[in-house]
Structure formats: C-alpha cells, structure tokens
C-alpha cells in the first residue's frame, strides 16, 4: 500500500469515527439516565506520548468517546493519526479501554483500567530495514492503577504484552537504533512498567495549570528507558471548547536521536526532543 493511500485511509477512518461517535452519543444517552456518553474531538500540533512523538513531529486529529456508568464502570474508544516513520505500517492508532473509577473519600479517588493500543493493518514486517522486519504485531495491552488526591494523580502500570511489538529482532542492540548502537532490546519487553505523577490545578475560572512527570522503563533493554516532563496551561470555555499550550521535555536517550524512518530508511527525527505544542478540543 502506498503512503498516499495509507494517509487517505487514515483520514477516512478518523472522519468516520468522529461522525459515528458524535451521532451515536445522544441516542445512547436518551436510553438510560444512569449512563453518560462524553465525546471529545480535538487537534494537537504534535501527538506526544510519554515524551515521544507518535506523528514524526506533525499534527494529529484525535477523537474519543466513553460510556460512563453511575457505578463507576466505564468503557471507551479513542483514535488518532500516527506516523509510519515511527510505527511501521501504521497510519491510525485505535485505543479500546475500560475500567472502574471510584472514591475512597471526598478528595481521594482511584481508577483501575485496561487499554488496548491497536494499529489497524500495521506490522513490524512493514519496516524497510531488511533483517529487522520479522512479522510481529504492534498492538499492546496495558493495565494501570491510579490514585488521585484533589488535583494530583499518581498512576502506574505495565504492558501485559510486548511493548508495542519491540523485540530482539526489530529493535536489537547493535543495529536497532542508529543514535546509540549500544542501545536496544535484549529479551522480552512484556511487563514493561511506567510511573506518572499528573497535576491539574485551576488557578482561575476556566484556567488550569497542568503538569506531568513520568518514567517509562522498557523491560530487558539497554539505553531505551525514558523520563519525561510536561507543563502547560489550558483555558476552558462555556460552550465545550478548550485550548491549551504545553512544553514537553524528556531525558532524550541517544537511541531516540536521529531515529531513522521505518518507512523509507533515510529520513531522520529526534523522537524525544523537547517540544512546544498546542491543542484545541471540543467536548460534546
């Protein structure tokens, strides 16, 4: 499949998802008062996930919808365009998630969750690097638990599958990362853990200062763990619109510097470079 056809497929899928979510939510909400169905559509100038750009530094259209029950149970789906330079063969990320939220006290809450990151039609066999492209799925299942106190949230979890399909075949030491040939995967990346501390403090009506400090460990690897930090501010409006601006920084492991494109083998990008980005979201 050509790059242009993949981009067209991504645009069509995102548009269909946005349309379906936006039209289905009101009908569902009328059926059961115990359920609510929040929907969000947004654009971000760069899709940064745990310090790493998923879109090769380019913008992303993102949509999400949840079904939230009064008991605390929830399920949801989220979609975003991504880049096949970083995620071989991928143009769309489709996440399916669910869990249970509750309160221990008025200001103390918890969230037990599962999320399945999927990349329709993508596989490590789509990598252009011969010898580093054995068939292997990028799809990843992750479990997490979060505890919140007022405006602070601590979250930790681990993958229950390989970390986005990373293995000794496609991401090995001495060949998998041009920026640091000593970095790479040395065994199974299953059960790769992360920890995060998130903050969202409303300083004035509609104005929120937010921040994130986290660390992602890639199990059985060298030079791939990353520490990331994000700080920003957002403004919410009465009609459901929110605009935000943030700055993302990371420990910038050398392995993610001058990362060679998995789509063409020649383009390069600093995947985890410090980056200022903006977002616009509409909640329904």
């Amino acid at each position: 499949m050509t790059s242009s056809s993949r981009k067209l497929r991504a645009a069509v899928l995102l548009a269909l998802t946005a349309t379906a979510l936006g039209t289905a939510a009101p009908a569902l909400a009328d059926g059961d008062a115990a359920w609510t169905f929040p929907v969000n559509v947004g654009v971000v100038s760069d899709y940064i996930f745990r310090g790493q750009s998923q879109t090769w530094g380019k913008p992303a259209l993102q949509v999400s919808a949840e079904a939230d029950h009064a008991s605390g149970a929830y399920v949801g789906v989220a979609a975003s365009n991504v880049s096949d330079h970083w995620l071989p063969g991928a143009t769309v990320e489709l996440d399916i998630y669910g869990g249970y939220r509750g309160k221990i006290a008025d200001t103390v809450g918890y969230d037990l969750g599962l999320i399945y990151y999927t990349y329709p039609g993508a596989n490590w066999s789509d990598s252009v690097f011969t010898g580093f492209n054995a068939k292997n799925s990028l799809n990843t299942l992750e479990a997490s638990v979060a505890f919140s106190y007022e405006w602070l949230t601590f979250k930790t979890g681990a993958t229950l599958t390989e970390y986005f399909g990373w293995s000794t075949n496609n991401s090995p030491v001495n060949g998998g990362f041009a920026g640091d040939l000593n970095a790479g995967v040395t065994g199974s990346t299953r059960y790769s853990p992360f920890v995060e501390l998130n903050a969202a403090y409303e300083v004035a009506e509609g104005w929120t200062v937010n921040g994130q400090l986290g660390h992602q460990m890639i199990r059985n690897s060298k030079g791939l763990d990353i520490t990331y930090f994000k700080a920003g501010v957002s403004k919410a409006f009465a009609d459901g619109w929110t605009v935000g601006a943030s700055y993302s920084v990371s420990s910038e492991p050398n392995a993610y510097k001058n990362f060679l494109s998995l789509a063409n083998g020649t383009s390069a990008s600093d995947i985890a470079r410090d980056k200022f980005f903006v977002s616009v979201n509409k909640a329904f």
Side-chain angles (χ1 to χ4, degrees):
M1 183 177 290
T2 65
S3 175
S4 59
S5 62
R6 282 175 175 163
K7 290 178 180 178
L8 177 60
R9 183 183 68 184
V12 171
L13 178 58
L14 286 171
L16 290 175
T17 303
T19 302
L21 296 180
T23 57
L28 290 170
D30 291 340
D32 188 346
W35 290 90
T36 55
F37 300 88
V39 175
N40 189 282
V41 179
V43 176
V44 63
S45 61
D46 194 351
Y47 173 17
I48 298 176
F49 174 73
R50 296 178 188 165
Q52 302 168 328
S53 174
Q54 308 298 293
T55 47
W56 208 246
K58 300 297 191 298
L61 169 64
Q62 301 180 330
V63 295
S64 65
E66 279 189 18
D68 298 338
H69 193 263
S71 66
Y74 65 92
V75 293
V77 61
S80 175
N81 60 288
V82 294
S83 174
D84 59 355
H85 292 296
W86 169 242
L87 298 160
T91 52
V92 172
E93 176 185 319
L94 185 64
D95 303 335
I96 303 166
Y97 62 92
Y100 189 88
R101 303 182 182 111
K103 284 185 173 294
I104 301 172
D106 287 344
T107 58
V108 180
Y110 64 90
D111 187 339
L112 307 174
L114 282 173
I115 183 168
Y116 190 48
Y117 306 93
T118 71
Y119 304 88
N123 197 285
W124 273 97
S125 59
D126 294 314
S127 169
V128 298
F129 293 101
T130 303
F132 299 93
N133 54 2
K135 190 174 180 62
N136 205 29
S137 173
L138 282 67
N139 297 348
T140 301
L141 178 64
E142 183 178 82
S144 66
V145 57
F147 296 97
S148 60
Y149 174 71
E150 293 187 342
W151 47 273
L152 285 173
T153 301
F154 172 78
K155 184 177 182 180
T156 185
T159 61
L160 303 182
T161 59
E162 288 182 315
Y163 181 84
F164 298 96
W166 288 18
S167 70
T168 54
N169 174 270
N170 54 53
S171 306
V173 172
N174 196 27
F177 298 87
D180 182 1
L181 292 179
N182 292 316
V185 173
T186 59
S188 173
T189 58
R190 190 177 184 184
Y191 304 127
S192 291
F194 77 95
V195 292
E196 270 182 7
L197 182 64
N198 295 279
Y201 186 77
E202 187 173 24
V203 294
E205 185 175 359
W207 288 93
T208 300
V209 174
N210 49 73
Q212 181 184 75
L213 175 64
H215 180 75
Q216 174 71 64
M217 187 180 83
I218 313 301
R219 185 170 173 263
N220 292 321
S221 74
K222 296 171 56 179
L224 301 182
D225 295 358
I226 184 171
T227 299
Y228 50 94
F229 173 76
K230 181 173 64 178
V233 62
S234 64
K235 168 61 177 174
F237 299 90
D239 56 1
W241 287 97
T242 301
V243 296
S246 300
Y247 194 73
S248 173
V249 301
S250 80
S251 55
E252 292 189 87
N254 288 332
Y256 305 126
K257 295 179 180 178
N258 295 314
F259 185 86
L260 292 177
S261 165
L262 297 173
N264 60 37
T266 56
S267 302
S269 179
D270 292 344
I271 294 296
R273 68 181 181 274
D274 298 351
K275 186 71 177 286
F276 173 81
F277 64 98
V278 295
S279 62
V280 179
N281 294 275
K282 170 66 173 177
F284 299 90

